[in-house]
Amino acid sequence: MIATRLTELLGIRYPIVQAAMGYVSGPRLAAATSNAGGLGLIASATMTLAELEGAIAETAGRTSAPFGVNLRADAPDAAERVRLIVSSHVPVASFAQAPKPELIAKLKEAGVVTIASVGARRHAEKAAGWGVDAVIATGGEGGGHVGAVPTSLLIPQIAAAVDIPVIAAGGFFDGRGLVAALAWGAAGVAMGTRFLLTSDSPVADAVKQVYLAAGLDGTVVTRRVDGVPHRVLRTTMVDQLLRGGRLGSLVRSARNAAAFRGVSGMSWREMVSQGRAMHGELSVGQVLMAANTPVLLRAAMVEGRTDLGLMSSGQVAGLIEDLPSCAELIEAIMSEAGATLERLEEIAGREARPRSL
């Protein structure tokens, strides 16, 4: 057992969090993680409010352990989603982007533990000032939208800056990494790609095989996907995006934006407004690029289209070679973490013994 401020805060056995991933982190994966002693998170950004309600009910039916819902504070129906989380007695709520103080206050008033995702010290300090209970700090090795600071530099900086549990993310997949995160001052780790590559993940086997085949150089950070830095697997489609000119990218983006509009039911005005809310003051062209993400993610993660889909991935994909269950994964991580700590204690003991002359 490795007890930390995080395990105490969340009421979980092990300091391991399954990161929220669109079209991946549903009831099946979240419940499997929570049943194994970690914290499973439902990714709600790609769900309607009704779908989220169903996902919460299904997850609660699959596990009696704590789980959480990840949401965007800037979603048009964010307040309704918060009310649903509270009324459904979900114990944890995490935010994919900067949370709003009023939403944090409503959740905390109801006894819901709040977690904010951050990529810089100033973001962590601001979130802590708003009253969040913990932060997930993601280094540059992580998948999806990332910053440029490596995890090994980001975590010690943030852990020293805030007096709340810090969950380290970006490059974690085993027990050695968990011990390293604890040494840097974190209270646990969050993993996305590692949980995607489990037998409990709903992702198609063909997609998982693409991840398993990737090397450490098999990912790339690009703005061509949605206008902001995004780490994805380097596939033929991504290479085409990188080689294509600006006009070609915008034409392709406009086509995907039209497809997203059809799926979401939003008007063009609503889509542009929401895109700007998600990513800041973007141009219309950048908003059209941002509409790529949900369309291409769904193509890969739901439809299994490895040729056309987008596959967000951390660099750690290059080190993963198997597809264990969540229970097997967490058991292996904790076992290796214990062995690593024992080895370090032995080293410390040898160093502490007096040397003969």
Side-chain angles (χ1 to χ4, degrees), residues 15 34 38 40 64-65 72 98 120 132 162-163 172 190 193 199 224 234 242 264 269 275 300 327 339 343 350:
S34 292
S64 60
R72 286 203 338 259
V132 299
V162 297
D163 190 27
F172 297 100
T193 305
S199 60
R224 287 294 181 92
R234 187 153 201 162
L242 295 176
S264 66
R269 182 185 296 274
R343 186 170 67 252
R350 288 198 299 269

Side-chain angles (χ1 to χ4, degrees), residues 179-203:
V179 172
L182 297 176
W184 293 330
V189 298
M191 303 183 298
T193 305
R194 177 65 274 197
F195 276 110
L196 185 154
L197 293 173
T198 61
S199 60
D200 293 306
S201 164
V203 174

Side-chain angles (χ1 to χ4, degrees), residues 17-72:
V17 176
Q18 163 248 305
M21 298 166 282
Y23 298 116
V24 177
S25 307
R28 174 177 159 184
L29 184 59
T33 301
S34 292
N35 283 331
L39 179 74
L41 291 177
I42 299 170
S44 75
T46 53
M47 298 177 180
T48 65
L49 186 62
E51 288 171 339
L52 175 58
E53 184 175 10
I56 291 172
E58 182 180 346
T59 306
R62 287 173 174 258
T63 182
S64 60
F67 68 91
V69 170
N70 179 265
L71 68 156
R72 286 203 338 259

Side-chain angles (χ1 to χ4, degrees), residues 8-291:
E8 180 181 352
L9 173 67
L10 301 178
I12 57 179
R13 295 198 302 275
Y14 307 123
I16 297 174
V17 176
Q18 163 248 305
M21 298 166 282
Y23 298 116
V24 177
S25 307
R28 174 177 159 184
L29 184 59
T33 301
S34 292
N35 283 331
L39 179 74
L41 291 177
I42 299 170
S44 75
T46 53
M47 298 177 180
T48 65
L49 186 62
E51 288 171 339
L52 175 58
E53 184 175 10
I56 291 172
E58 182 180 346
T59 306
R62 287 173 174 258
T63 182
S64 60
F67 68 91
V69 170
N70 179 265
L71 68 156
R72 286 203 338 259
D74 52 16
D77 60 353
E80 295 176 68
R81 290 173 185 254
V82 166
R83 284 194 290 270
L84 175 60
I85 290 170
V86 171
S87 65
S88 301
H89 305 290
V90 178
V92 181
S94 69
F95 292 91
Q97 293 176 318
K100 293 182 179 179
E102 58 269 27
L103 296 182
I104 296 172
K106 289 180 181 179
L107 289 164
K108 289 180 66 67
E109 183 180 356
V112 179
V113 175
T114 56
I115 303 174
S117 297
V118 301
R121 180 178 64 184
R122 67 181 183 279
H123 300 153
E125 291 172 336
K126 182 175 291 187
W130 289 337
V132 299
D133 297 300
V135 293
I136 296 177
T138 305
E141 299 95 321
H145 296 128
V146 295
V149 180
T151 304
S152 59
L153 301 180
L154 181 69
I155 303 306
Q157 182 189 48
I158 291 181
V162 297
D163 190 27
I164 55 177
V166 175
I167 306 163
F172 297 100
F173 72 106
D174 65 1
R176 295 169 300 175
L178 172 57
V179 172
L182 297 176
W184 293 330
V189 298
M191 303 183 298
T193 305
R194 177 65 274 197
F195 276 110
L196 185 154
L197 293 173
T198 61
S199 60
D200 293 306
S201 164
V203 174
D205 287 340
V207 175
K208 292 177 182 178
Q209 291 305 316
V210 174
Y211 277 89
L212 292 175
L216 283 174
D217 59 351
T219 65
V220 63
V221 177
T222 177
R223 292 178 179 268
R224 287 294 181 92
V225 172
D226 55 8
V228 292
H230 194 136
R231 184 181 294 281
V232 295
L233 283 183
R234 187 153 201 162
T235 61
T236 300
M237 189 273 289
V238 170
D239 284 339
Q240 290 174 347
L241 282 177
L242 295 176
R243 288 196 303 267
R246 178 172 175 78
L247 178 59
S249 295
L250 286 178
V251 169
R252 185 182 297 105
S253 299
R255 188 182 303 118
N256 286 328
F260 176 55
R261 177 174 173 269
V263 171
S264 66
M266 291 190 294
S267 67
W268 284 104
R269 182 185 296 274
E270 290 172 329
M271 190 173 69
V272 170
S273 176
Q274 184 169 328
R276 283 178 167 164
M278 287 173 60
H279 299 295
E281 294 301 318
L282 300 184
S283 68
V284 173
Q286 289 173 313
V287 170
L288 292 180
M289 291 178 69

Side-chain angles (χ1 to χ4, degrees), residues 294-306:
V295 174
L296 298 180
L297 276 175
R298 181 179 177 84
M301 300 307 171
V302 178
E303 301 168 11
R305 294 296 304 272
T306 59

